[in-house]
Amino acid sequence: MDAERQPGRGGQDWPLLLWTSLAVLVPVVLTLWCSVRRSRRRVYMKDFIRKCKHGWRCTDLFSKPTYCCLCSQHILQGACCDCCGLCADELCLRRADRTMPCKEIMAPARADGTPAHRWVRGNVPLCSCCRVCKQQCGTQPRLCDYRCVWCQATVHDECKGGVADGECCDLGEFRSVIIPPHYLHQVNKLRRRLPDDYTKLSAACGSGWTPVLVLANTRSGNNMGEALLGEFRTLLNPVQVFDLTQLPPSKALQLCTLLPPGSVRVLVCGGDGTVGWVLDAIDNMRLKGQDQFIPRVTILPLGTGNDLSNSLGWGAGYAGEIPVEQVLRNIMEAEVVKMDRWKVHVASKGHFLRKPKVLSMNNYFSVGPDALMALNFHTHREKTPSFFSSRIINKAVYFLYGTKDCLVQECKDLDKRIELELDGEKVALPSLEGIIVCNIGYWGGGCRLWEGMGDEPCPPTQLDDGLLEVVGVFGSFHCAQIQVKLANPVRLGQAHTVRLVLKSSRMPMQVDGEPWAQGPCTITITHKTQALMLYHSAEQTDDDDDDSSASEAEDAVPVQPSNGNKSEPAAEQVS
């Protein structure tokens, strides 16, 4: 009986196996099909956006709930223009790009020489106030109300009739930093482009007009550059906002030559390396004889270290804690200061035909364990750049490399391999593993390196005194102790010229976070020029104590250069 029933059982198992296979295979096939469709859609959208008149950025129901400006329906999948705020779903996207104009970067003014409002309906910012009835706008669950893309004024649908069609647009709160489209139109009509002509044209923009150019590196720090570019394009003229991954700063800064001399301010959104890149481009402007168009530079810190930003009072890192409107207000209130820039001349020994390496330095030059950590970090970031997309991850990787060097000690006996001269005087070195030459007050992501935590008197760090501060460290563990204020570096002195001679072996070196491995050589650091920077005295950094923030801010403010304070003898470590 059992033998006769067995074939029957096998026949009953086939449907179960079939349905089990379908239950497994169907979700897998659907997932693969959706992934292919999603990737094709992403490629299609990129190609479409690249050819469009608007600055479209993809959006959906979850990232930013909006209404389509054409069909007035909720956008499930669509795009929003960074420049004018126009929103459209995928079905209406082509028609919106073809029929609805974007914010014009260059346009003639009206007969009286003033610009007019440019209204876009719907999707007004939260907590907006109607300029006619002074009540809140955008509160209804539908496409409603209007916003001017220039002055950011909002009005209700029923109140728009109260705004005259010929009413002048005053460009709003940030009129003093916006480049009006009619100004560029008038510049384009000039037969001769002389600085005096730009000054005459700027009279129509009002007194105190200091336009701001925004240069953002979208690869810096925690990848906030893309979002910041969109927010600044919304508030300013899109021609003022540049993505440095698509246009180098040397070309972006040519806009300064079309504006009144000495009026331009440049906001660099990125890390210290991005700031150095922009300052090098400004030096090239000097070489071209464009000194009168040199802009003032300020920083929105997006990098990992941000020591220069910290020294100038702009904080140790930006993570969106304040709106971009407040950023622009801080720039308008900032004061102009000077900052020394230095030339690092690296001449390799035994390679007489090789051209010496010449670098520009704003923050610091170092040889030893901190340069080794930067070199290891840089090498692995080049291999897998997608992994290093967060400021927290970047600092964690630095910590791991520092822990490794504490065990290996690749830079030990540095005092036997290198000679140090400060203003021509040789300095006797203790048993060190690293030497750091500083131009600014902060180092290592917010550490006050020269002043330290001891009670011994020392000349303060200043940005424009023509002096460099030289210190030594005993290893990676000593660097970590300095950063948490458990130890002091070895002060080696101050000097106008620093010379280091690497006699043997290869050592890791870095200039402003750009590392490399260097063989026997002679390094000479001399003064190059001074850059015009903006200092924000109201900002307090995270690493400052409440009782010492005022005094440290005073130390960071540059003063007139002094003639004294040359090299000093090496001091001993204070734990």
Side-chain angles (χ1 to χ4, degrees):
M1 294 290 293
D2 294 339
E4 294 177 358
R5 293 177 182 176
Q6 192 68 27
R9 288 183 180 178
Q12 294 176 359
D13 290 343
W14 276 108
L16 180 61
L17 292 174
L18 177 62
W19 287 109
T20 303
S21 302
L22 290 176
V24 173
L25 291 177
V26 169
V28 172
V29 172
L30 286 176
T31 302
L32 293 176
W33 181 78
C34 291
S35 299
V36 172
R37 294 281 297 179
R38 191 180 298 111
S39 62
R40 288 181 179 177
R41 175 182 169 275
R42 190 180 298 114
V43 172
Y44 166 76
M45 290 296 294
K46 285 184 178 180
D47 293 339
F48 172 75
I49 290 173
R50 188 166 54 248
K51 302 173 184 177
C52 287
K53 302 174 184 177
H54 288 264
W56 296 113
R57 179 166 49 89
C58 293
T59 184
D60 54 39
L61 180 64
F62 301 101
S63 62
K64 184 180 180 183
T66 49
Y67 294 92
C68 177
C69 293
L70 273 74
C71 66
S72 302
Q73 299 298 317
H74 264 301
I75 295 180
L76 300 180
Q77 292 287 344
C80 181
C81 178
D82 282 337
C83 302
C84 65
L86 184 69
C87 298
D89 58 27
E90 284 190 349
L91 297 178
C92 302
L93 200 55
R94 285 186 175 276
R95 186 158 60 98
D97 188 73
R98 185 176 61 254
T99 60
M100 306 186 76
C102 189
K103 183 191 289 188
E104 294 178 316
I105 63 175
M106 183 190 307
R110 299 182 305 178
D112 58 356
T114 59
H117 287 291
R118 166 78 169 81
W119 300 105
V120 172
R121 186 163 187 256
N123 304 304
V124 299
L126 296 176
C127 302
S128 299
C129 181
C130 177
R131 64 173 298 167
V132 177
C133 67
K134 308 303 180 184
Q135 299 296 320
Q136 190 171 353
C137 286
T139 57
Q140 301 183 30
R142 59 183 177 85
L143 187 75
C144 62
D145 304 337
Y146 289 85
R147 177 184 62 89
C148 176
V149 300
W150 287 109
C151 66
Q152 310 303 320
T154 56
V155 293
H156 291 115
D157 291 329
E158 55 272 16
C159 296
K160 190 172 181 296
V163 180
D165 294 336
E167 183 180 13
C168 170
C169 176
D170 61 359
L171 301 181
E173 178 186 0
F174 304 109
R175 65 182 69 88
S176 63
V177 298
I178 295 176
I179 301 178
H182 61 81
Y183 173 85
L184 294 177
H185 179 76
Q186 292 173 340
V187 168
N188 194 41
K189 295 196 316 183
L190 289 176
R191 294 183 179 179
R192 299 180 307 162
R193 295 187 175 182
L194 301 176
D196 292 340
D197 297 332
Y198 302 145
T199 303
K200 293 177 182 178
L201 292 179
S202 66
C205 301
S207 60
W209 184 51
T210 55
V212 173
L213 305 186
V214 180
L215 280 61
N217 186 355
T218 56
R219 297 175 183 172
S220 291
N222 50 1
N223 295 333
M224 290 190 61
E226 287 285 353
L228 285 171
L229 285 173
E231 294 184 48
F232 281 115
R233 289 192 184 106
T234 300
L235 295 175
L236 307 175
N237 192 327
V239 78
Q240 300 175 241
V241 185
F242 301 91
D243 185 353
L244 294 182
T245 61
Q246 299 179 2
L247 190 73
S250 57
K251 294 185 177 180
L253 291 174
Q254 289 306 306
L255 183 58
C256 297
T257 61
L258 301 179
L259 298 168
S263 66
V264 184
R265 300 188 173 196
V266 172
L267 172 63
V268 182
C269 305
D272 290 341
T274 305
V275 179
W277 190 16
V278 173
L279 292 178
D280 287 338
I282 292 176
D283 287 343
N284 291 333
M285 293 178 64
R286 289 191 175 95
L287 296 177
K288 295 177 182 178
Q290 299 174 345
D291 297 66
Q292 55 187 334
F293 297 107
I294 295 300
R296 282 69 173 152
V297 180
T298 182
I299 308 169
L300 187 63
L302 301 182
T304 303
N306 304 315
D307 293 303
L308 179 57
S309 171
N310 223 350
S311 298
L312 292 170
W314 297 103
Y318 178 78
E321 62 274 7
I322 59 175
V324 294
E325 291 86 354
Q326 186 59 44
V327 173
L328 292 176
R329 295 185 192 105
N330 293 340
I331 294 174
M332 295 162 62
E333 298 170 357
E335 57 180 306
V336 180
V337 296
K338 294 181 179 180
M339 183 189 73
D340 293 324
R341 301 193 72 221
W342 302 82
K343 181 175 70 174
V344 181
H345 185 276
V346 183
S348 300
K349 290 185 177 180
H351 299 277
F352 301 103
L353 300 179
R354 181 182 298 178
K355 188 177 181 180
K357 181 187 296 186
V358 179
L359 304 169
S360 297
M361 186 187 84
N362 305 310
N363 300 359
Y364 45 77
F365 164 87
S366 69
V367 51
D370 64 326
L372 178 61
M373 288 186 285
L375 180 60
N376 290 332
F377 175 85
H378 179 76
T379 302
H380 285 79
R381 184 171 61 177
E382 291 294 319
K383 293 181 181 179
T384 55
S386 59
F387 178 75
F388 299 88
S389 59
S390 170
R391 189 181 290 128
I392 296 177
I393 293 177
N394 295 349
K395 292 187 176 182
V397 173
Y398 264 102
F399 174 77
L400 292 176
Y401 286 132
T403 305
K404 174 186 174 183
D405 186 62
C406 289
L407 303 175
V408 180
Q409 292 184 327
E410 297 184 27
C411 303
K412 63 181 179 179
D413 298 329
L414 179 68
D415 56 304
K416 300 177 182 178
R417 301 190 235 175
I418 203 166
E419 293 180 356
L420 174 65
E421 293 182 7
L422 301 182
D423 287 339
E425 299 179 6
K426 187 174 293 187
V427 177
L429 298 176
S431 180
L432 299 173
E433 287 191 25
I435 294 176
I436 305 171
V437 182
C438 291
N439 178 49
I440 60 177
Y442 286 90
W443 165 87
C447 175
R448 300 286 291 185
L449 193 63
W450 179 252
E451 283 80 3
M453 54 176 283
D455 297 329
E456 67 280 4
C458 64
T461 302
Q462 298 176 355
L463 292 179
D464 68 340
D465 58 358
L467 288 170
L468 292 167
E469 288 74 36
V470 186
V471 300
V473 294
F474 293 108
S476 298
F477 186 68
H478 187 203
C479 291
Q481 287 181 309
I482 294 172
Q483 289 183 323
V484 297
K485 301 181 181 180
L486 293 179
N488 285 333
V490 178
R491 294 196 186 96
L492 301 175
Q494 289 181 301
H496 299 280
T497 302
V498 177
R499 185 170 179 267
L500 300 99
V501 179
L502 180 59
K503 297 180 288 187
S504 62
S505 70
R506 292 176 67 85
M507 291 292 294
M509 300 182 180
Q510 70 163 334
V511 172
D512 293 350
E514 298 297 327
W516 76 97
Q518 178 66 46
C521 65
T522 299
I523 300 139
T524 307
I525 306 176
T526 55
H527 191 269
K528 179 181 180 182
T529 184
Q530 284 188 328
L532 297 176
M533 310 295 291
L534 293 179
Y535 179 80
H536 182 44
S537 58
E539 186 74 19
Q540 180 177 336
T541 59
D542 295 336
D543 296 315
D544 294 338
D545 295 328
D546 294 338
D547 56 348
S548 62
S549 58
S551 61
E552 288 185 358
E554 293 175 358
D555 292 343
V557 179
V559 295
Q560 294 298 323
S562 56
N563 296 324
N565 295 336
K566 291 192 177 182
S567 59
E568 298 177 349
E572 295 183 357
Q573 179 193 12
V574 179
S575 298

